[in-house]
Amino acid sequence: MRHDEFIGQVQSRAKLAGRGQAERASRATLETLGERVPEGLAGNLAAQLPTEIGEHLRRTEIEGGLGTGEPFGRDEFIHRVADRAGVEEPQAVYLARVVLEVTGEATQGALMDKVRDSLPEDLRPLVTSGSRGSMG
């Protein structure tokens, strides 16, 4: 999947007004994911995404953060996505679901299963629910 297609899919599924919002949502979600998953896994995921998109996974510079593999749960994940994307937390949940759904479609093999399995139970629904599923 190419960069323009990735951003276009995020924009369309999240019903965002512009590509800039889709870029921000993608960056916010993937930077946060890059902080949460182990470094090797973040690198493998980045390698399968368009270069500009994959680089977000390698940015793990948050003040006071530990970098990749940092142990935090759903609430902190959503807070970071909301803060980076400039949206309220309920919208950040949906944007993260959309970005992770598109990320799954842009990668091959069972890579997103490995991403999901590396996350705590409370974060896994963000990976599996997609843009139309239930967070149940």
Side-chain angles (χ1 to χ4, degrees), residues 12-13 21 23 34 54-55 63 66-68 87 107 119 127 131:
S12 174
R13 292 179 199 188
Q21 291 174 311
E23 291 271 6
E55 284 304 307
E63 190 172 327
L66 302 173
T68 58
V87 299
T107 59
L119 298 171
V127 177
S131 60

Side-chain angles (χ1 to χ4, degrees), residues 32-133:
T32 305
L33 184 65
E35 291 167 350
R36 183 60 187 87
V37 299
E39 185 174 353
L41 186 53
N44 290 342
L45 188 58
Q48 288 196 21
L49 295 171
T51 304
E52 307 92 326
I53 303 290
E55 284 304 307
H56 299 314
L57 286 156
R58 295 186 172 104
R59 292 190 189 118
T60 58
E61 302 171 37
I62 186 165
E63 190 172 327
L66 302 173
T68 58
E70 188 177 344
F72 55 84
R74 181 185 187 278
D75 290 344
E76 180 63 18
F77 190 96
I78 296 306
H79 174 74
R80 291 182 188 195
V81 171
D83 189 50
R84 287 178 167 136
V87 299
E88 297 295 321
E89 291 188 6
Q91 186 179 10
V93 171
Y94 187 67
L95 293 175
R97 289 170 53 187
V98 168
V99 170
L100 293 171
E101 177 181 63
V102 174
T103 300
E105 292 170 8
T107 59
Q108 298 177 348
L111 191 54
M112 285 306 286
D113 291 339
K114 291 177 184 176
V115 168
R116 181 196 65 231
D117 292 345
S118 77
L119 298 171
E121 285 291 327
D122 67 338
L123 266 172
R124 291 180 183 177
L126 288 176
V127 177
T128 58
S129 60
S131 60
R132 293 185 212 147

